[in-house]
PDB file of all heavy atoms in Angstrom:
ATOM      1  N   LEU A  49     106.929 116.530  79.088  1.00 92.00           N
ATOM      2  CA  LEU A  49     107.053 117.942  78.731  1.00 92.00           C
ATOM      3  C   LEU A  49     106.196 118.759  79.684  1.00 92.00           C
ATOM      4  O   LEU A  49     105.198 118.268  80.214  1.00 92.00           O
ATOM      5  CB  LEU A  49     106.560 118.173  77.304  1.00 92.00           C
ATOM      6  CG  LEU A  49     107.345 117.486  76.199  1.00 92.00           C
ATOM      7  CD1 LEU A  49     106.558 117.519  74.900  1.00 92.00           C
ATOM      8  CD2 LEU A  49     108.695 118.148  76.016  1.00 92.00           C
ATOM      9  N   CYS A  50     106.550 120.023  79.871  1.00 92.00           N
ATOM     10  CA  CYS A  50     105.721 120.902  80.696  1.00 92.00           C
ATOM     11  C   CYS A  50     104.432 121.239  79.939  1.00 92.00           C
ATOM     12  O   CYS A  50     104.323 121.028  78.727  1.00 92.00           O
ATOM     13  CB  CYS A  50     106.487 122.166  81.061  1.00 92.00           C
ATOM     14  SG  CYS A  50     106.768 123.303  79.689  1.00 92.00           S
ATOM     15  N   THR A  51     103.470 121.754  80.666  1.00 92.00           N
ATOM     16  CA  THR A  51     102.175 122.090  80.094  1.00 92.00           C
ATOM     17  C   THR A  51     102.303 123.077  78.938  1.00 92.00           C
ATOM     18  O   THR A  51     101.686 122.895  77.889  1.00 92.00           O
ATOM     19  CB  THR A  51     101.256 122.686  81.183  1.00 92.00           C
ATOM     20  OG1 THR A  51     101.139 121.727  82.239  1.00 92.00           O
ATOM     21  CG2 THR A  51      99.886 123.006  80.652  1.00 92.00           C
ATOM     22  N   SER A  52     103.110 124.104  79.107  1.00 94.00           N
ATOM     23  CA  SER A  52     103.266 125.117  78.053  1.00 94.00           C
ATOM     24  C   SER A  52     103.805 124.517  76.765  1.00 94.00           C
ATOM     25  O   SER A  52     103.329 124.832  75.671  1.00 94.00           O
ATOM     26  CB  SER A  52     104.194 126.237  78.521  1.00 94.00           C
ATOM     27  OG  SER A  52     103.618 126.926  79.592  1.00 94.00           O
ATOM     28  N   CYS A  53     104.782 123.644  76.882  1.00 94.00           N
ATOM     29  CA  CYS A  53     105.357 123.032  75.685  1.00 94.00           C
ATOM     30  C   CYS A  53     104.377 122.069  75.032  1.00 94.00           C
ATOM     31  O   CYS A  53     104.287 122.013  73.803  1.00 94.00           O
ATOM     32  CB  CYS A  53     106.668 122.334  76.021  1.00 94.00           C
ATOM     33  SG  CYS A  53     108.033 123.503  76.262  1.00 94.00           S
ATOM     34  N   MET A  54     103.624 121.313  75.832  1.00 93.00           N
ATOM     35  CA  MET A  54     102.619 120.419  75.240  1.00 93.00           C
ATOM     36  C   MET A  54     101.574 121.219  74.475  1.00 93.00           C
ATOM     37  O   MET A  54     101.176 120.837  73.377  1.00 93.00           O
ATOM     38  CB  MET A  54     101.958 119.564  76.317  1.00 93.00           C
ATOM     39  CG  MET A  54     102.809 118.411  76.767  1.00 93.00           C
ATOM     40  SD  MET A  54     101.913 117.247  77.794  1.00 93.00           S
ATOM     41  CE  MET A  54     101.714 118.186  79.288  1.00 93.00           C
ATOM     42  N   GLN A  55     101.139 122.343  75.031  1.00 94.00           N
ATOM     43  CA  GLN A  55     100.153 123.181  74.341  1.00 94.00           C
ATOM     44  C   GLN A  55     100.739 123.767  73.062  1.00 94.00           C
ATOM     45  O   GLN A  55     100.082 123.785  72.024  1.00 94.00           O
ATOM     46  CB  GLN A  55      99.662 124.285  75.281  1.00 94.00           C
ATOM     47  CG  GLN A  55      98.800 123.754  76.397  1.00 94.00           C
ATOM     48  CD  GLN A  55      98.504 124.803  77.464  1.00 94.00           C
ATOM     49  OE1 GLN A  55      99.240 125.770  77.646  1.00 94.00           O
ATOM     50  NE2 GLN A  55      97.410 124.592  78.181  1.00 94.00           N
ATOM     51  N   ALA A  56     101.983 124.236  73.138  1.00 95.00           N
ATOM     52  CA  ALA A  56     102.625 124.824  71.958  1.00 95.00           C
ATOM     53  C   ALA A  56     102.814 123.780  70.862  1.00 95.00           C
ATOM     54  O   ALA A  56     102.547 124.047  69.686  1.00 95.00           O
ATOM     55  CB  ALA A  56     103.969 125.437  72.353  1.00 95.00           C
ATOM     56  N   LEU A  57     103.247 122.576  71.233  1.00 94.00           N
ATOM     57  CA  LEU A  57     103.476 121.536  70.234  1.00 94.00           C
ATOM     58  C   LEU A  57     102.164 120.994  69.682  1.00 94.00           C
ATOM     59  O   LEU A  57     102.106 120.588  68.518  1.00 94.00           O
ATOM     60  CB  LEU A  57     104.335 120.423  70.823  1.00 94.00           C
ATOM     61  CG  LEU A  57     105.789 120.832  71.066  1.00 94.00           C
ATOM     62  CD1 LEU A  57     106.523 119.786  71.890  1.00 94.00           C
ATOM     63  CD2 LEU A  57     106.509 121.092  69.758  1.00 94.00           C
ATOM     64  N   ARG A  58     101.115 121.019  70.469  1.00 93.00           N
ATOM     65  CA  ARG A  58      99.792 120.638  69.963  1.00 93.00           C
ATOM     66  C   ARG A  58      99.370 121.621  68.870  1.00 93.00           C
ATOM     67  O   ARG A  58      98.846 121.229  67.830  1.00 93.00           O
ATOM     68  CB  ARG A  58      98.772 120.613  71.093  1.00 93.00           C
ATOM     69  CG  ARG A  58      97.388 120.178  70.626  1.00 93.00           C
ATOM     70  CD  ARG A  58      96.392 120.161  71.744  1.00 93.00           C
ATOM     71  NE  ARG A  58      96.274 121.495  72.309  1.00 93.00           N
ATOM     72  CZ  ARG A  58      95.658 121.777  73.437  1.00 93.00           C
ATOM     73  NH1 ARG A  58      95.114 120.827  74.147  1.00 93.00           N
ATOM     74  NH2 ARG A  58      95.573 123.010  73.869  1.00 93.00           N
ATOM     75  N   THR A  59      99.651 122.899  69.070  1.00 94.00           N
ATOM     76  CA  THR A  59      99.348 123.917  68.065  1.00 94.00           C
ATOM     77  C   THR A  59     100.186 123.706  66.807  1.00 94.00           C
ATOM     78  O   THR A  59      99.665 123.787  65.692  1.00 94.00           O
ATOM     79  CB  THR A  59      99.592 125.330  68.651  1.00 94.00           C
ATOM     80  OG1 THR A  59      98.730 125.505  69.772  1.00 94.00           O
ATOM     81  CG2 THR A  59      99.322 126.406  67.627  1.00 94.00           C
ATOM     82  N   VAL A  60     101.471 123.421  66.961  1.00 93.00           N
ATOM     83  CA  VAL A  60     102.350 123.154  65.815  1.00 93.00           C
ATOM     84  C   VAL A  60     101.816 121.967  65.019  1.00 93.00           C
ATOM     85  O   VAL A  60     101.734 122.005  63.788  1.00 93.00           O
ATOM     86  CB  VAL A  60     103.801 122.889  66.289  1.00 93.00           C
ATOM     87  CG1 VAL A  60     104.654 122.310  65.175  1.00 93.00           C
ATOM     88  CG2 VAL A  60     104.413 124.155  66.846  1.00 93.00           C
ATOM     89  N   PHE A  61     101.430 120.902  65.714  1.00 92.00           N
ATOM     90  CA  PHE A  61     100.896 119.708  65.065  1.00 92.00           C
ATOM     91  C   PHE A  61      99.617 120.047  64.294  1.00 92.00           C
ATOM     92  O   PHE A  61      99.451 119.649  63.137  1.00 92.00           O
ATOM     93  CB  PHE A  61     100.615 118.632  66.115  1.00 92.00           C
ATOM     94  CG  PHE A  61      99.986 117.393  65.550  1.00 92.00           C
ATOM     95  CD1 PHE A  61     100.757 116.454  64.889  1.00 92.00           C
ATOM     96  CD2 PHE A  61      98.631 117.154  65.682  1.00 92.00           C
ATOM     97  CE1 PHE A  61     100.194 115.305  64.363  1.00 92.00           C
ATOM     98  CE2 PHE A  61      98.055 116.012  65.172  1.00 92.00           C
ATOM     99  CZ  PHE A  61      98.834 115.088  64.504  1.00 92.00           C
ATOM    100  N   SER A  62      98.744 120.807  64.918  1.00 92.00           N
ATOM    101  CA  SER A  62      97.482 121.192  64.280  1.00 92.00           C
ATOM    102  C   SER A  62      97.730 122.032  63.031  1.00 92.00           C
ATOM    103  O   SER A  62      97.119 121.808  61.985  1.00 92.00           O
ATOM    104  CB  SER A  62      96.618 121.955  65.275  1.00 92.00           C
ATOM    105  OG  SER A  62      95.432 122.387  64.667  1.00 92.00           O
ATOM    106  N   GLN A  63      98.634 122.988  63.109  1.00 92.00           N
ATOM    107  CA  GLN A  63      98.941 123.840  61.961  1.00 92.00           C
ATOM    108  C   GLN A  63      99.551 123.030  60.821  1.00 92.00           C
ATOM    109  O   GLN A  63      99.207 123.231  59.655  1.00 92.00           O
ATOM    110  CB  GLN A  63      99.883 124.968  62.382  1.00 92.00           C
ATOM    111  CG  GLN A  63      99.210 126.005  63.241  1.00 92.00           C
ATOM    112  CD  GLN A  63     100.193 127.017  63.816  1.00 92.00           C
ATOM    113  OE1 GLN A  63     101.390 126.781  63.901  1.00 92.00           O
ATOM    114  NE2 GLN A  63      99.656 128.155  64.243  1.00 92.00           N
ATOM    115  N   ALA A  64     100.438 122.102  61.158  1.00 89.00           N
ATOM    116  CA  ALA A  64     101.059 121.258  60.123  1.00 89.00           C
ATOM    117  C   ALA A  64     100.006 120.391  59.434  1.00 89.00           C
ATOM    118  O   ALA A  64     100.033 120.230  58.210  1.00 89.00           O
ATOM    119  CB  ALA A  64     102.147 120.389  60.741  1.00 89.00           C
ATOM    120  N   ASN A  65      99.071 119.853  60.205  1.00 87.00           N
ATOM    121  CA  ASN A  65      98.000 119.051  59.612  1.00 87.00           C
ATOM    122  C   ASN A  65      97.086 119.891  58.733  1.00 87.00           C
ATOM    123  O   ASN A  65      96.655 119.446  57.670  1.00 87.00           O
ATOM    124  CB  ASN A  65      97.182 118.350  60.693  1.00 87.00           C
ATOM    125  CG  ASN A  65      97.789 117.036  61.099  1.00 87.00           C
ATOM    126  OD1 ASN A  65      98.664 116.510  60.430  1.00 87.00           O
ATOM    127  ND2 ASN A  65      97.323 116.501  62.204  1.00 87.00           N
ATOM    128  N   ASN A  66      96.790 121.098  59.171  1.00 87.00           N
ATOM    129  CA  ASN A  66      95.940 121.986  58.370  1.00 87.00           C
ATOM    130  C   ASN A  66      96.624 122.343  57.051  1.00 87.00           C
ATOM    131  O   ASN A  66      95.985 122.350  55.999  1.00 87.00           O
ATOM    132  CB  ASN A  66      95.587 123.251  59.149  1.00 87.00           C
ATOM    133  CG  ASN A  66      94.609 122.984  60.262  1.00 87.00           C
ATOM    134  OD1 ASN A  66      93.902 121.969  60.272  1.00 87.00           O
ATOM    135  ND2 ASN A  66      94.559 123.875  61.238  1.00 87.00           N
ATOM    136  N   GLU A  67      97.918 122.626  57.096  1.00 87.00           N
ATOM    137  CA  GLU A  67      98.661 122.940  55.874  1.00 87.00           C
ATOM    138  C   GLU A  67      98.689 121.733  54.936  1.00 87.00           C
ATOM    139  O   GLU A  67      98.542 121.875  53.724  1.00 87.00           O
ATOM    140  CB  GLU A  67     100.079 123.387  56.219  1.00 87.00           C
ATOM    141  CG  GLU A  67     100.127 124.762  56.847  1.00 87.00           C
ATOM    142  CD  GLU A  67     101.532 125.157  57.289  1.00 87.00           C
ATOM    143  OE1 GLU A  67     102.526 124.527  56.842  1.00 87.00           O
ATOM    144  OE2 GLU A  67     101.640 126.096  58.093  1.00 87.00           O
ATOM    145  N   LYS A  68      98.871 120.562  55.496  1.00 86.00           N
ATOM    146  CA  LYS A  68      98.887 119.337  54.697  1.00 86.00           C
ATOM    147  C   LYS A  68      97.548 119.131  54.001  1.00 86.00           C
ATOM    148  O   LYS A  68      97.486 118.805  52.813  1.00 86.00           O
ATOM    149  CB  LYS A  68      99.206 118.148  55.603  1.00 86.00           C
ATOM    150  CG  LYS A  68      99.306 116.829  54.891  1.00 86.00           C
ATOM    151  CD  LYS A  68      99.642 115.716  55.880  1.00 86.00           C
ATOM    152  CE  LYS A  68      99.648 114.364  55.211  1.00 86.00           C
ATOM    153  NZ  LYS A  68      99.923 113.286  56.176  1.00 86.00           N
ATOM    154  N   ARG A  69      96.454 119.346  54.721  1.00 85.00           N
ATOM    155  CA  ARG A  69      95.115 119.200  54.134  1.00 85.00           C
ATOM    156  C   ARG A  69      94.879 120.212  53.024  1.00 85.00           C
ATOM    157  O   ARG A  69      94.297 119.890  51.993  1.00 85.00           O
ATOM    158  CB  ARG A  69      94.045 119.347  55.217  1.00 85.00           C
ATOM    159  CG  ARG A  69      93.961 118.166  56.134  1.00 85.00           C
ATOM    160  CD  ARG A  69      92.809 118.320  57.101  1.00 85.00           C
ATOM    161  NE  ARG A  69      92.979 117.427  58.223  1.00 85.00           N
ATOM    162  CZ  ARG A  69      92.895 117.776  59.486  1.00 85.00           C
ATOM    163  NH1 ARG A  69      92.596 119.014  59.829  1.00 85.00           N
ATOM    164  NH2 ARG A  69      93.071 116.890  60.436  1.00 85.00           N
TER     165      ARG A  69
END
Side-chain angles (χ1 to χ4, degrees):
L49 296 166
C50 70
T51 302
S52 295
C53 285
M54 282 191 289
Q55 290 170 336
L57 290 169
R58 182 180 60 192
T59 299
V60 167
F61 177 79
S62 177
Q63 288 172 340
N65 274 346
N66 288 340
E67 288 176 17
K68 182 179 176 182
R69 287 185 198 130

